[in-house]
Amino acid sequence: MNKYLDISPEVSAALAAGKPVVALESTIISHGMPYPQNVKTALEVEQIIRDNGAVPATIAIIGGHLKAGLTPEEIEYFGKKGPEIAKASRRDLPVLVARGQDGACTVTTTMMIAHMAGIGVFATGGIGGVHRGAETTMDISADLEELGQTPVMVICAGAKSILDLGLTLEYLETKGVPVIGYGTDELPAFYTRTSGFGVDYRLDTPAELAAAFHAQRAMGLKGGMLVTNPIPEEYSMDPAVINKAIDQAIAECQAQGVHGKATTPFLLARVKDLTGGDSLDSNIQLVFNNARLAARTAAELVKLG
Ligand code: PSU
Ligand code: MN
């Protein structure tokens, strides 16, 4: 175990006892939602995981330590500081850790730290992917590379159409990442249940998800698994409304020359502002939905040894 890894006593005890644990990211707290909804949501997500029989492990970098399992005070700190906390992807870890700084973990770094800690299942909202226009900008999220090399199951609500969903699926195919639809044959597009793109496999129960991931790990295959769980019908949004906001956000992003790690947070914030509170509400509900599924899947996974 590396000396920078710091697993909370509760998470450490759960892992040692073979109990189910679910990892959660912290970029969604610091960069993905406004304060105080971010803190309220993060704490509720942890409660939902407990209510469904697993232990939550929110993952972040604090003072240069890779933390698996935060206290409510630490979650409040990440929520309140918001974007002042560096968004930490794989390339940021060495310098942040060496300097003893804080970092909000993206899907990439949450997968890395979850794996270091021995946690196999991770719930979030949406993943990064191949951006629209990537054929000239080369903006492809490190999340896709991580899915190609780190054995963690990521349960999300699909990807937002701020991305090129077709190219994102092509990239995942190249990297050998199974894309699973939970109860659906179609890739969900975060705010909406459909996208027009098919997934690789449809699985219908937490036990089936656990069995597939168990087989992947037992074969020693490197790489993760992407489970896409459609937003509950009652919270899904009108595709015309959301797509209009996304198109406008992308146009503003290009006009303002936003690039690099700032692109995704910029687009997410603009889409939220342009659609009022509706998209934030949907965003919160889909994270709850993913947390429930992750806890149940982690509970099935521990039965397989
Ligand atoms: N997409 C979302 N919500 C998010 C993110 C992406 O719908 O909160 C965050 C996640 O932390 C993800 C990161 O890992 O943005 C991807 O950033 P980038 O595109 O810069 O790799
Ligand atoms: Mn990028």
Side-chain angles (χ1 to χ4, degrees):
M1 194 171 287
N2 76 58
K3 65 175 182 172
Y4 301 109
L5 182 63
D6 181 356
I7 307 178
S8 77
E10 187 195 11
V11 171
S12 179
L15 290 168
K19 290 193 183 143
V21 176
V22 173
L24 298 162
E25 63 156 303
S26 44
T27 290
I28 192 173
I29 304 175
S30 293
H31 296 263
M33 287 183 195
Y35 181 80
Q37 288 98 328
N38 54 2
V39 172
K40 186 164 176 280
T41 302
L43 295 173
E44 275 183 59
V45 167
E46 290 211 337
Q47 189 57 47
I48 287 169
I49 287 171
R50 291 181 198 286
D51 293 344
N52 285 277
V55 170
T58 300
I59 290 182
I61 303 160
I62 302 184
H65 294 273
L66 313 177
K67 307 273 272 185
L70 300 190
T71 63
E73 293 73 29
E74 288 168 333
I75 287 176
E76 170 75 23
Y77 169 77
F78 268 75
K80 211 166 200 169
K81 280 214 144 183
E84 272 180 58
I85 298 200
K87 176 181 159 193
S89 191
R90 177 176 269 268
R91 58 105 186 259
D92 302 294
L93 285 187
V95 173
L96 287 178
V97 166
R99 286 180 173 165
Q101 290 180 331
D102 299 332
C105 290
T106 63
V107 167
T108 296
T109 41
T110 303
M111 288 180 76
M112 292 172 70
I113 297 168
H115 182 56
M116 288 176 198
I119 302 168
V121 178
F122 162 25
T124 188
I127 60 158
V130 180
H131 280 262
R132 294 200 210 165
E135 58 275 23
T136 50
T137 63
M138 291 186 73
D139 188 353
I140 299 172
S141 175
D143 292 354
L144 302 184
E145 292 294 322
E146 208 58 44
L147 280 160
Q149 64 180 319
T150 300
V152 169
M153 175 192 280
V154 179
I155 300 186
C156 68
K160 289 197 179 87
S161 46
I162 59 170
L163 303 172
D164 186 318
L165 300 183
L167 291 186
T168 299
L169 289 173
E170 291 292 351
Y171 204 89
L172 288 166
E173 181 186 1
T174 301
K175 293 286 165 182
V177 179
V179 178
I180 311 295
Y182 184 68
T184 180
D185 294 303
E186 231 184 281
L187 179 76
F190 198 90
Y191 296 116
T192 57
R193 293 173 61 84
T194 56
S195 65
F197 293 97
V199 292
D200 302 330
Y201 296 94
R202 168 187 177 147
L203 298 178
D204 292 307
T205 63
E208 285 180 87
L209 295 177
F213 187 58
H214 178 73
Q216 184 178 10
R217 285 206 297 196
M219 285 185 279
L221 301 184
K222 77 179 183 92
M225 178 172 283
L226 186 66
V227 175
T228 62
N229 185 27
I231 184 171
E233 189 82 61
E234 63 268 39
Y235 300 109
S236 70
M237 295 184 67
D238 179 349
V241 171
I242 199 74
N243 289 333
K244 187 166 170 264
I246 286 172
D247 288 343
Q248 185 177 333
I250 290 175
E252 289 176 16
C253 187
Q254 285 165 351
Q256 294 178 34
V258 177
H259 64 275
K261 70 196 280 188
T263 301
T264 297
F266 177 91
L267 292 172
L268 299 181
R270 281 307 285 146
V271 169
K272 182 187 68 63
D273 290 346
L274 291 165
T275 52
D278 284 6
S279 67
L280 181 58
D281 228 37
S282 297
N283 196 345
I284 291 170
Q285 292 298 332
L286 65 83
V287 177
F288 291 167
N289 191 45
N290 297 340
R292 258 185 305 272
L293 180 59
R296 291 176 188 163
T297 303
E300 293 295 331
L301 191 62
V302 296
K303 291 185 197 165
L304 301 173

